[in-house]
Amino acid sequence: MSVTEPVAEHTQHGYIGDKDAYLRRLKRIEGQARGLQRMVEDEKYCIDILTQVSAMTKALESVALGLLEDHLAHCVVDAAAAGGPEADAKIKEASAAIARLVRS
């Protein structure tokens, strides 16, 4: 099994309790991306564009860290409590996700 495959189906994902907040944040990030496009179309100053890219990157990182925290607190904890191969797979999956975030 690859680390990108879901280990087991969940009735609810860890982020469900904050789903609306995540969606609001992602819509704001979408607006930031459109703003960046306009800045380039309007030939704005490079440093101003880079400043906005940095803000958007931080916003995405914040969403990613929140999702990771929710995943660890729910999916990984539940799998660890159940034990067995599912627990090992969830821990490997979470480790791979952390590694991807650190490399990005």
Side-chain angles (χ1 to χ4, degrees), residues 18-37:
D18 294 322
K19 179 181 172 181
D20 290 339
Y22 281 118
L23 288 171
R24 280 191 303 275
R25 290 164 78 184
L26 289 167
K27 287 177 184 178
R28 278 196 303 268
I29 293 167
E30 181 181 25
Q32 286 177 294
R34 285 192 303 272
L36 280 167
Q37 290 171 350

Side-chain angles (χ1 to χ4, degrees), residues 41-60:
E41 287 170 354
D42 296 344
E43 301 176 4
K44 297 294 182 185
Y45 186 55
C46 302
I47 297 302
D48 293 338
I49 296 170
L50 289 170
T51 299
Q52 292 307 310
V53 167
S54 178
M56 187 174 162
T57 300
K58 294 295 180 197
L60 280 170

Side-chain angles (χ1 to χ4, degrees), residues 1 5 12 31 33 43 45 49-50 62 69 77 82 88 96 103:
M1 170 181 300
E5 293 177 20
Q12 282 195 330
E43 301 176 4
Y45 186 55
I49 296 170
L50 289 170
S62 176
E69 184 178 321
V77 167
D88 294 338
R103 283 192 299 262

